[in-house]
Amino acid sequence: MSTHTHAHSVALPGHKDYRGSKIGIWLFLITEVILFGGMFLLYSVYRSRYAVDFHHAAGELNTLLGTINTLVLLTSSLTMALSIAATHHGNRKLALIMLALTIACGAAFMVNKYFEWSHEFAHGIYPGSEYLLAHPKGEILFFGLYFTMVGVHGIHVLVGMGLLSVMFLKVMNQPNKTVSFVAGHGLANADGGHFAVLDKDGNAVWKSEPIDATIERVDMKTKYWPVKERFHVADFNQLENSGLYWHIVDIIWIFLFPLFYLIT
Amino acid sequence: MSNDAGNEHEAQAHEPMGYGTYFLTWFSLLCLTAITVTAAGMHFGGMSVVVALVIAAIKASIVLFLFMHLKYEDAMFHRMLLIMILALTIFIGLTFTDVLFR
């Protein structure tokens, strides 16, 4: 990956495949859509059967909180996209700020959900409650679907927040690089060579012990100033993939919101 | 190792979208949300589901093509999306050919 490839320097196996990785994440996202698709299928059948009950049950939901949550997630998609755009522009600080805002939006969404569900539980609306079981079949089905689908979606939001937190740490480490020389690749038949740090006159400022056959691996960790020239799109593959996941979570909510909160 | 150079080229292939474009996208999504909430207050009868779904589909398309860069990806990704939509349509559509006649 470095531009100065010496005959003996070989990056550790595990080469990067930008396009392959992108195909992979899209395939996964499609499986996520099919996962929710199955639940939407259930929803569509029961709604067609119990249209009036669904309408009544939906009246119990807090449309304002639902709308706010929609706006929160849409904004989180914006900050996510801005974070990635910032890396393309070589602006690490902005990327980190936007990433933090995205995670904060996710937290806000979950806090809203907490208030919503607390209110509903307090009114006896939860899966299997006696209050609910006294209601018409269609309303029980509505809430069963509501808690399941919104719940699974909420888990996806939490997972996304965890993922983005990990990405935050990775972006913080950019554009630093680690190049590894492994026995069998770059260190084969090493016998008495050494690593040295040289000053501008070519004098060794530091010299390692001799590299012999007992050495398994040498890691060269380089820290760089976060200047724009050091930021390459391919280095932010994981961040982009995480962004794609986050957007899918947003898209699923885009469908959940009108189907549960806006039934007229 | 040589693949890494191809990697870099592949990744750098498209021009980055500007920050402004993302804000415009976000704003249009907010507007569509306002529209869908307003439409919910209107009486479309049986059509209200259709209206809600159409608006949701438009919002999803905006997120897919702009935020998720699908507009700038090559045909293969578009085909994957198409196949997925087709699959869901068949699952739900075919189920209704049964359910509607019970």
Side-chain angles (χ1 to χ4, degrees), chain A residues 1 5 15-19 22-23 26-27 29-30 33 37 41 44-45 47-48 67 70-71 74-75 77-78 81-82 85-86 88-89 94 232-234 244 247-248 251 254-255 257-258 262 264, chain B residues 1 3-4 7-8 10-12 14 16-17 19 22-23 26 29-30 33 36-37 40 48-49 52-53 56-57 59-60 63-64 67-68 70 73-74 76-77 80 84 88 91-92 95-96 99 102:
Chain A
M1 193 74 182
T5 43
H15 74 103
K16 296 178 187 176
D17 182 354
Y18 183 79
R19 181 174 166 78
K22 195 186 289 191
I23 294 171
W26 274 103
L27 282 175
L29 295 184
I30 288 172
V33 171
L41 169 61
S44 65
V45 172
R47 177 162 170 179
S48 74
T67 308
T70 306
L71 300 176
L74 289 175
T75 306
S77 267
L78 169 68
L82 288 175
H88 289 184
H89 287 107
L94 184 64
H232 308 290
V233 173
L244 288 174
H247 289 308
I248 279 290
I251 287 177
I254 284 173
F255 281 96
F257 171 59
L262 304 177
T264 51
Chain B
M1 187 74 182
N3 193 52
D4 287 342
N7 238 355
E8 198 58 50
E10 168 78 40
Q12 221 88 32
H14 9 254
M17 265 171 68
Y19 297 127
Y22 287 121
F23 275 99
W26 171 71
L29 284 168
L30 295 191
T33 306
T36 202
V37 173
S48 63
V49 183
L53 281 175
K59 288 167 79 177
V63 174
L64 275 166
F67 279 158
M68 294 172 81
L70 210 47
E73 303 293 355
D74 62 54
M76 190 185 76
F77 294 94
M80 282 164 76
M84 183 192 79
L88 280 176
F91 294 159
I92 296 180
T95 303
F96 270 91
V99 166
R102 291 214 183 171

Side-chain angles (χ1 to χ4, degrees), chain B residues 37-90:
Chain B
V37 173
T38 311
M42 303 181 182
H43 298 284
F44 293 111
M47 285 295 289
S48 63
V49 183
V50 179
V51 170
L53 281 175
V54 165
I55 298 174
I58 294 172
K59 288 167 79 177
S61 300
I62 290 175
V63 174
L64 275 166
F65 284 95
L66 292 170
F67 279 158
M68 294 172 81
H69 288 282
L70 210 47
K71 179 176 163 194
Y72 302 101
E73 303 293 355
D74 62 54
M76 190 185 76
F77 294 94
H78 296 160
R79 277 185 228 126
M80 282 164 76
L81 177 73
L82 204 62
I83 291 173
M84 183 192 79
I85 292 173
L86 218 61
L88 280 176
T89 309
I90 291 173

Side-chain angles (χ1 to χ4, degrees), chain A residues 17-192:
Chain A
D17 182 354
Y18 183 79
R19 181 174 166 78
S21 153
K22 195 186 289 191
I23 294 171
I25 185 72
W26 274 103
L27 282 175
F28 170 66
L29 295 184
I30 288 172
T31 68
E32 289 285 83
V33 171
I34 300 293
L35 167 69
F36 280 92
M39 294 190 270
F40 277 116
L41 169 61
L42 262 183
Y43 170 97
S44 65
V45 172
Y46 285 129
R47 177 162 170 179
S48 74
R49 203 170 265 207
Y50 300 102
V52 176
D53 285 349
F54 267 47
H55 170 68
H56 283 145
E60 300 266 14
L61 294 180
N62 188 333
T63 309
L64 177 64
L65 275 184
T67 308
I68 291 174
N69 262 352
T70 306
L71 300 176
V72 165
L73 273 188
L74 289 175
T75 306
S76 76
S77 267
L78 169 68
T79 54
M80 185 73 234
L82 288 175
S83 170
I84 293 171
T87 65
H88 289 184
H89 287 107
N91 190 341
R92 188 181 73 177
K93 186 164 164 212
L94 184 64
L96 288 172
I97 291 172
M98 286 299 150
L99 209 44
L101 282 176
T102 309
I103 296 169
C105 284
F109 181 91
M110 293 314 292
V111 166
N112 262 343
K113 192 106 333 258
Y114 167 78
F115 285 128
E116 245 189 299
W117 283 23
S118 300
H119 181 86
E120 279 153 18
F121 292 172
H123 285 247
I125 300 173
Y126 53 88
S129 75
E130 284 143 20
Y131 172 83
L132 208 49
L133 288 172
H135 279 243
K137 240 201 247 175
E139 292 188 39
I140 301 171
L141 282 166
F142 174 88
F143 279 108
L145 284 163
Y146 169 75
F147 283 114
T148 306
M149 294 179 77
V150 170
V152 172
H153 176 265
I155 291 173
H156 279 75
V157 171
L158 284 172
V159 167
M161 283 166 65
L163 185 65
L164 291 179
S165 301
V166 171
M167 287 306 130
F168 187 91
L169 295 172
K170 287 191 183 249
V171 171
M172 248 180 34
N173 195 43
Q174 289 290 347
N176 305 333
K177 296 266 183 291
T178 303
V179 179
S180 297
F181 302 82
V182 180
H185 288 264
L187 292 181
N189 302 317
D191 181 21

